[in-house]
């Protein structure tokens, strides 16, 4: 339970860090709305999908997913390999780009019934300073 609580607190802190930057670009003005922590029905109508941050304008939507795992992230975009290292161990995770693409596909399907076609973009935000690609670049 302590580990789960720590992960929840860490995720909350990461989202607060992102909020600081989103507020600086005028989120929740008359032209831009930010919806956070969405849980929506999936296309199969039996399960759900989750979106951390959905930035909406009258012209497009941006899905911003927040990653807050401790340790060092590393990924190879061409191979879609993604992992993080912590205390000498490596852990595999779903590639963040694949994850936001799947979320956007689900969102398009969900929105199609009520809004029609909407241009969308996706992004992944890493909260820690230890994110590197396969070549060690930050």
């Amino acid at each position: 339970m302590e580990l789960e609580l720590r992960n929840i607190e860490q995720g909350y802190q990461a989202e607060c860090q992102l909020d600081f930057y989103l507020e600086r670009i005028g989120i929740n003005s008359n032209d831009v709305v930010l919806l956070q922590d969405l849980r929506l029905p999936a296309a199969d109508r039996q399960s759900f999908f989750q979106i951390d941050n959905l930035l909406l304008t009258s012209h497009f939507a941006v899905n911003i997913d927040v990653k807050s795992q401790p340790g060092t992230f590393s990924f190879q975009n061409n191979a879609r390999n993604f992992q993080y290292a912590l205390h000498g161990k490596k852990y595999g995770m779903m590639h963040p780009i694949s994850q936001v693409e799947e979320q956007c596909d689900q969102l398009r399907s969900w929105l199609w019934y009520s809004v029609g076609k909407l241009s969308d973009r996706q992004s992944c935000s890493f909260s820690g300073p230890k994110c590197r690609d396969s070549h060690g670049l930050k």
Side-chain angles (χ1 to χ4, degrees), residues 29-33 55-62 115 117-119:
S29 68
N30 290 336
D31 300 322
V32 181
V33 174
L55 186 131
L56 297 171
T57 75
S58 59
H59 302 287
F60 64 89
V62 179
V115 178
K117 188 169 179 149
L118 180 68
S119 177

Side-chain angles (χ1 to χ4, degrees), residues 55 59 68 83 86 89 112 116-117 128:
L55 186 131
H59 302 287
S68 62
Q83 61 187 2
L86 181 65
K89 292 184 182 180
W112 184 257
K117 188 169 179 149

